[in-house]
Amino acid sequence: MNLSERTREALNEQMMREIGASYLYLSMAGYCDSIGFDGFGQWMHRQSSEEWDHAMRFRTYLEDRGARVDFGAIDKPEKNFSSMLEIFERALESEESVSAAIADLYAVARDEKDLATQTFLDWFVTEQVEEEKSVKVIIDWLKRIGDTDAGLYLMDQQLGGGISAASADSGSAQAE
Ligand code: FEO
């Protein structure tokens, strides 16, 4: 079954959205690095790579379905933030908008009776739950520690060590 033009366009838009998310995390990494929070910066870099990987999944899928990919323009990402909490709240906003876009894309695939695309999107539905959760855990942490240097230093060490959100959360319990 050929990919309908409507589904192709929606998949292509999502690929560009994922590239935009990668770009935003890269900009956030730059901000964290610029103020000396290398651990937060590494976490943002890892997220940026994951988003790039998501974009490439869409690209490969489009090509596997015999479609051409259109690379569009990417908006300039935000560059300056006022606090770590603000950065992560912005990251959550971005993840929530990606989740909503995946849901819309799923609806298009269902409308077009495109089972292969629905199955392809299942992975992203689960992935978005994980991504939103990991950002929310960090936001909770940041709210707990406030703007204290000691708390931010500890979080920076933990996030730089590649600790997942779930284990970071249990680490927080130990640190208290
Ligand atoms: Fe691939 Fe987190 O959006």
Side-chain angles (χ1 to χ4, degrees):
M1 178 181 155
N2 286 336
L3 204 54
S4 73
E5 182 52 22
R6 184 179 170 215
T7 313
R8 188 200 71 78
E9 272 179 23
L11 285 162
N12 202 101
E13 267 174 33
Q14 188 59 31
M15 178 191 73
M16 290 308 303
R17 210 171 273 119
E18 302 283 352
I19 291 176
S22 174
Y23 214 31
L24 177 62
Y25 276 123
L26 197 57
S27 177
M28 288 174 166
Y31 173 79
C32 295
D33 292 346
S34 76
I35 56 170
F37 283 122
D38 294 354
F40 282 101
Q42 286 170 39
W43 190 91
M44 290 294 177
H45 271 290
R46 288 196 295 275
Q47 291 304 113
S48 177
S49 298
E50 279 193 24
E51 299 301 352
W52 183 259
D53 174 64
H54 297 171
M56 293 307 105
R57 282 175 184 251
F58 278 99
R59 177 188 171 211
T60 303
Y61 180 72
L62 280 160
E63 290 178 352
D64 285 350
R65 294 291 305 270
R68 282 301 308 273
V69 166
D70 291 320
F71 291 107
I74 310 167
D75 288 342
K76 185 176 164 65
E78 295 150 63
K79 183 179 172 191
N80 293 311
F81 304 89
S82 59
S83 67
M84 281 301 158
L85 182 58
E86 190 205 342
I87 277 203
F88 279 88
E89 283 177 335
R90 182 65 196 86
L92 181 59
E93 226 174 78
S94 168
E95 291 296 351
E96 286 174 343
S97 93
V98 169
S99 300
I102 296 276
D104 288 347
L105 179 48
Y106 207 104
V108 169
R110 203 172 42 214
D111 237 39
E112 298 285 318
K113 298 185 172 54
D114 187 333
L115 286 178
T117 298
Q118 289 172 65
T119 303
F120 167 72
L121 291 173
D122 282 342
W123 183 88
F124 287 92
V125 172
T126 309
E127 176 71 3
Q128 281 309 117
V129 171
E130 278 307 307
E131 297 216 320
E132 284 188 30
K133 180 186 153 197
S134 68
V135 177
K136 281 178 187 158
V137 165
I138 293 171
I139 287 175
D140 285 348
W141 261 41
L142 287 166
K143 284 183 175 167
R144 264 189 250 169
I145 65 170
D147 225 4
T148 62
D149 284 344
L152 288 171
Y153 174 78
L154 185 63
M155 280 193 71
D156 192 60
Q157 297 290 305
Q158 292 230 349
L159 294 179
I163 294 172
S164 70
S167 56
D169 198 35
S170 63
S172 142
Q174 284 160 14
E176 284 171 354

